[in-house]
Amino acid sequence: MITRLTAYSAQIASLVFIVIVWAIASAVVNMSALPSPFAVFGTLADLVASGRAFEPLGNTLGRTILGFVLAILLGTTYGIAAALSRTFAELTRWLLQIAIFTPTLILIFLFLISLGRSNGTIILLIGLVVMPVVGTYIRDAMGDFDDDLSGMARSYHVGLWQRVTGMYLPFLIPPLLAAGRIGFTLSWKVAFLSEIFGFPNGIGWQVKTSYDIYNIQTLLAWLMLFIIVLLVVEQLMRLAERTFVKW
Amino acid sequence: MTTMSRSHRLLLNAAPVVVGIGIWWALTTFVLVQPRLYPTPAAVVTEIVRIFSNEGPLGSTYVHAASTLMRLLVSWALAFVFGTLLGVLAGRKRVVFDFFANPVWIAMAVPSVVWVFIFLVLFGIDNIVPISALVMLLSAPVFLGTAEGVRATPPDLVEMCDSFHVGRWQRLVHFYLPSIAPYMVANARVSFALGIRIVLIAEVIGLPNGVGILVAYWSDTLYMAPIVAWGIILMAAGMAIDHLVFAPLQRRIRQESAD
Amino acid sequence: ETVSMTVEASAIPAFVAKDRGLFGDLDVEVSKVGYDQVQALLVAGDTDVAWISPIETVQFVAEGSDFRYFSTAGAQNMYNGIVVRADEAGEYPNVMSLEGKRLGIPGFGTGTWAAFRAFAKAYYGVDDPTTVFDVVTASSGALLALVERGQVDAALLFSGSSAAARSLPQFKTIFSFTEAMQESAGEPLVINGAVATATWLEENPETAARIVAGLDAATRWIQENPDAFAEGGEYADLARDAGWLAGPETAETVLTLIKEGKWYLTSDAYTDDWIGAIYDLLEKGEFVETLPARDDAFLAPGSLPAAE
Amino acid sequence: MTTKVSLEDIDLSFPGPAGSDTRKVIYENFSLQIEEGSFTVLLGPSGCGKSTLLNIINGLLKPTRAGGIVIDGEDLRRKPDLSRQMAYVFQGPRLLRWKTLAQNARFGLKGLGVQPKAKWDELIEKYFTAVGLRDAMHLYPHQVSGGMRQRASIVRAWVNEPQILLMDEPFSHLDEITAAEMRRILIDLWASEETKRTIVFVTHDISEAAQLATDIVMLTPAPSSICLRRKVDLAWPRQLDSDEVIGLEKELRHAFAERAGIRF
Amino acid sequence: MTTKVSLEDIDLSFPGPAGSDTRKVIYENFSLQIEEGSFTVLLGPSGCGKSTLLNIINGLLKPTRAGGIVIDGEDLRRKPDLSRQMAYVFQGPRLLRWKTLAQNARFGLKGLGVQPKAKWDELIEKYFTAVGLRDAMHLYPHQVSGGMRQRASIVRAWVNEPQILLMDEPFSHLDEITAAEMRRILIDLWASEETKRTIVFVTHDISEAAQLATDIVMLTPAPSSICLRRKVDLAWPRQLDSDEVIGLEKELRHAFAERAGIRF
Ligand SMILES: Nc1ncnc2c1ncn2[C@@H]1O[C@H](COP(=O)(O)OP(=O)(O)OP(=O)(O)O)[C@@H](O)[C@H]1O
Ligand SMILES: Nc1ncnc2c1ncn2[C@@H]1O[C@H](COP(=O)(O)OP(=O)(O)OP(=O)(O)O)[C@@H](O)[C@H]1O
Ligand SMILES: [Mg+2]
Ligand SMILES: [Mg+2]
């Protein structure tokens, strides 16, 4: 209990620290490029109170979550399959590398133009961009799997399904949580970028329009909304970690 | 595990890629006939040749490429050092991790464009803008990966170190670093790939030079072929570095830590 | 059948026409995308009618596309232009007084830059603006910040940010495309307008006419009901997306211009003289190597059947 | 007596230290027959290849060169499923750290799949109770002592009541009383009426060997060969201080020092 | 005789199974004095808390409630550096897998820092030779057998020639001859003229206890208390089959079964 408490205060301390630095900086600079945190949170409160915040948030969040789930499913399957089958690993090696190294901006551009501007396109795009990251993470973590334990499993003729659900997945929970963190932010970023570069709704679009008219205050208000949601997600991840990792 | 012959492996590697290019060719030649938006493989190759012969808008292509590469390398190196050092600290002390968790999470989740938006209005047009945006974004996953690796070090070995009063430095160099070495190489790999992917976004928004400016130019005038060409060049550069530097490194580390 | 029409956020007449049923029984599907995407979608054949600038239409045609600009109905006046710090505005009476100064632009590939080059050549005899000004690129939002911080002396802006700059007290607009053209040729210049492929126009003249009529009706409605676009109004959301409500000053400026009929044009402005003025500019501005024939880029005014 | 497990002309070597090109030869032309229903104890100096031998029998290590492993008269390589009738107690506990002791045992049961599912809970309960871990079976490995982990890993093998039981120094971390009790249960399991079980048991403890074996195989340091092989014809429970057992111990100790002993 | 290590009124408990709120009490009001220069052997049933006790002495586990650990008359908590004079052989080998056996020993030398750097190579060579691993000292842990890993982890402690040596079932995976040789070296190290070394040695092997101890401490199952404590006044080398040793073994075995024995 005590440790939980120190954990929360440490987490909050850094946020408070950032806001204080921000407040001081904005007071020193004093221009529209850096509005004070109070003004920004005021705008945010307006956005929320008037209910205008929810539609863009819902749009972005919905796309992010669906794309993320797709990516985790694909990535985990890929990671385990690649660790288990040499042929599969070799077949997908270059494809995966290509997926990893293709600039996201170019992918966004290509996808939006050739597949049309639908939620489906963005979800697919997120899945494709995030999958290799999750996939390599899982594949490499699987490479660290203890040989002694693999020997044990072979000795006991533990079947593939059992090995996956009983050994690999539990072993993978910590790396999956880490990959999940990275993957979620990446999904969120891809959704956001697609909105900025041509999908006209969601938080990304709001940020982009505020930016175009040099309204940094509104831009930051949207950004804060986004960050608050993220912090909630982070707490959910921690909860998941506490529930799943008991050993 | 059975070993495969080199040629067999190459065949497996290349087959799906060749098939992919075939599909691309067929699509752009028969279905989506619009060379401006859906360039054919041949058109892209022509563009690649032009880029390599230093032809293109807005001055020397090589200068643009060099400045992009420099930004990428500098920010990647900075991010790697920061991320690893903080990550080791955070992996050992839960409080440190908790303190950094939210800022790291924020740094990582806010897209590069937005960082660039913000830094640009704060710092003006300067190299520091894309570099700090990249450092922000790249150090976050390195930090998390390292912390994860440190936390995954077996507690009985940590206890052994305590028992033998292994000092700070020795513990870092001989214990934590080797035991997280696989994580570190993975981090370096992942963050480098990430860097290659997002360096363009950081440049598109506002800099006097860099590949991002060229891509923005072509996207403003709606020509996809040079954009795809740049995409392929960056991808190839990333893959080459990955193949020549990181992969052998990772193999060596795996061998040394093999069980 | 349905007509698909793709526009960017500032094409409010299109949304209003759709919402108020001003297209009659014509089923128009209006979708909103970013400025760059509009062109891509038309090129890709994913939309019937798009919202593109007349100057860029000429450019596309010169490059071989069969686009036709067919009306100024609902088109927005091109207040895009050059902005400086308000306290220094006295030093810069016109564009050429910025010689040797640092000028921020939104990108070398943008239509705004292309238009500016044509203007510079046609009106000031400048072959290459980059030799006269110290040009740097940055995205539009950053440009205003850069001007405010004194990192650039002036900025070439477009659409939303130029409207914002017009009304923010710390900036002053010293040049705008439409005003410059009005002064020299007596015709306004617009940011955009309805464009379709020649094939589509030939096959669907009736439909095109009804779209023009709908947009005209919407433009008139907007002029009569500017309050619908103020904070709290019926169409405040549209106005906000278009950047009109960024601040009280911006809203004030835009709504005043709307009331005066200076923000959106109707198809009445689409005349041979107007097309001539643009061609004149492009010719003198040596905009492209060989200008296409007028009829290849602009549908002859009055050639659409009258809408019933 | 039929032969249950037969190694025929096995060769096995490991790569030497990194950098050097030499290989460390563990077995060369090695053959061994294990009779059905025997309790075979493997003795040999540390590092001679006892664990390696169990790994070979279990099919985990493939001999470098041809030479066969024959189970029930059939080639293990051609029918890897033959090793389903074996359960292996490894030298280390090899427990999954994210499963409780009971779940670990269940994992092995599911894997080998020779016991009917309906009996799993009963078997788990029975054997954990037998080894004195009834109260601890729902703890995670890191919550229990070294000896308890070792017992849990033994249970994982026993619950399968396998045809062939491979055990590698299973009682090395147990105190005498616990170990004695474990040996008693093991003999019960082995001698249970239904089937003729075969046990291959590695130990470094000569008196343990004397207490358990029906067959003794003693190995020399690597490259390993059999330096002593004998049958033991004593009934159970064997008295630790009976003359026969003490005599056998003496003999083994002597042989070990003479033939398998290592020089420092 | 002076007291070297003194535990005073120690309390220690571990959290129970996940979900339940109970704690498993291992020690309550537990006190123990270990004399300087003694060879103290800890005996007790599996899971009673022997490893836990060594962890407490080494300062790795902090007793739950007050109660002191006093080394040389000074409180360990106030001066954690006191534990620099201890070297610990853990129940598992705990070697770093990316270092050779020799590098692992070096790692411990550097850590404790009690030996002059100039002597390191010599010491490493000396002890690896002593335990019969001269040829294997440049191999990695995964390349050697379980018993060899165990010996390497012993060397890591021995090379420090520490004032206090904590050993947790160090010879459990060694064959008899190797173990006998190891015991001989250990006694040599302990009895070396320069200093009075103190050894705390956990074993489950009663005859090993009888061969080595000057002091015997026997623990009951957890919550643990001392059920037998006696001095042994025999010289070395002790004859395994001498009447004194056999008598001592009998006594210990009896006490163990009676007082520390566990009921299944
Ligand atoms: N981290 C832990 N969490 C919960 N319980 C623990 C933990 N570590 C040890 N225990 C419990 O403490 C008791 C004593 O453990 P310890 O390892 O000291 O036993 P031991 O006497 O060394 O036994 P063995 O001879 O089997 O090694 C055991 O019953 C074990 O279940
Ligand atoms: N993966 C490996 N690579 C190289 N050498 C190995 C490997 N595994 C085992 N060896 C070597 O093989 C020999 C036999 O090992 P094994 O584990 O079978 O010994 P053991 O008889 O079980 O010894 P112990 O009683 O100490 O457990 C050892 O000398 C060891 O060095
Ligand atoms: Mg072994
Ligand atoms: Mg123990």
Side-chain angles (χ1 to χ4, degrees), chain E:
Chain E
M1 286 250 173
T2 49
T3 302
K4 183 74 183 176
V5 178
S6 166
L7 304 184
E8 290 159 9
D9 275 346
I10 296 289
D11 268 26
L12 195 121
S13 62
F14 285 113
S20 93
D21 247 7
T22 56
R23 292 181 71 83
K24 175 155 190 180
V25 177
I26 310 295
Y27 290 110
E28 201 161 22
N29 274 327
F30 181 89
S31 298
L32 173 69
Q33 271 71 41
I34 293 167
E35 275 173 17
E36 178 153 30
S38 72
F39 195 125
T40 302
V41 171
L42 287 175
L43 284 167
S46 169
C48 76
K50 304 180 294 296
S51 304
T52 305
L53 196 64
L54 292 192
N55 284 339
I56 294 175
I57 296 175
N58 198 213
L60 295 176
L61 265 180
K62 308 265 175 290
T64 329
R65 204 189 47 137
I69 304 142
V70 177
I71 312 275
D72 286 332
E74 296 195 87
D75 190 330
L76 180 64
R77 249 169 319 171
R78 232 154 315 138
K79 276 185 91 174
D81 252 17
L82 286 169
S83 60
R84 265 187 199 278
Q85 44 178 319
M86 306 184 202
Y88 189 173
V89 179
F90 297 92
Q91 191 164 357
R94 305 200 186 181
L95 300 172
L96 301 180
R97 64 176 194 278
W98 50 88
K99 288 186 181 284
T100 62
L101 304 184
Q103 286 166 347
N104 266 289
R106 212 183 169 77
F107 188 72
L109 273 169
K110 223 187 246 176
L112 283 187
V114 289
Q115 296 283 11
K117 197 162 179 172
K119 277 180 62 189
W120 289 1
D121 286 331
E122 185 193 321
L123 283 164
I124 289 175
E125 174 114 11
K126 170 176 157 196
Y127 283 100
F128 272 107
T129 312
V131 303
L133 288 183
R134 229 214 108 121
D135 293 342
M137 66 191 255
H138 296 305
L139 292 175
Y140 287 93
H142 73 271
Q143 295 180 307
V144 302
S145 77
M148 291 156 88
R149 265 176 247 173
Q150 201 174 25
R151 280 180 275 163
S153 85
I154 294 171
V155 170
R156 179 177 57 198
W158 283 358
V159 285
N160 294 289
E161 300 182 337
Q163 287 298 302
I164 303 175
L165 182 58
L166 309 174
M167 302 182 81
D168 198 353
E169 308 194 14
F171 306 143
S172 59
H173 282 288
L174 302 180
D175 64 88
E176 291 209 358
I177 298 200
T178 313
E181 179 65 15
M182 298 290 286
R183 284 185 205 111
R184 197 189 54 68
I185 309 170
L186 177 60
I187 290 296
D188 279 358
L189 180 69
W190 172 69
S192 80
E193 60 292 338
E194 311 125 47
T195 38
K196 269 197 157 174
R197 280 186 231 293
T198 312
I199 294 184
V200 187
F201 189 100
V202 170
T203 183
H204 57 265
D205 181 341
I206 287 179
S207 66
E208 182 169 52
Q211 276 172 64
L212 293 172
T214 65
D215 286 74
I216 285 178
V217 175
M218 192 181 286
L219 299 171
T220 63
S224 235
S225 60
I226 299 175
C227 64
L228 176 104
R229 155 132 228 181
R230 64 161 287 180
K231 294 209 150 288
V232 178
D233 213 3
L234 298 171
W236 286 270
R238 293 178 185 167
Q239 288 305 330
L240 278 180
D241 40 11
S242 69
D243 287 347
E244 290 96 334
V245 171
I246 291 183
L248 178 59
E249 270 186 50
K250 275 231 173 91
E251 181 194 333
L252 291 176
R253 206 158 267 137
H254 183 78
F256 196 85
E258 280 295 292
R259 286 180 260 177
I262 15 169
R263 297 285 144 257
F264 280 98

Side-chain angles (χ1 to χ4, degrees), chain A residues 133-168:
Chain A
V133 176
V134 177
T136 33
Y137 212 93
I138 299 300
R139 185 192 66 198
D140 294 350
M142 286 284 296
D144 274 352
F145 195 82
D146 197 343
D147 256 7
D148 276 357
L149 290 181
S150 311
M152 185 273 290
R154 261 197 297 149
S155 167
Y156 281 90
H157 289 263
V158 174
L160 180 67
W161 180 246
Q162 258 298 296
R163 260 183 298 162
V164 170
T165 56
M167 288 185 6
Y168 301 136

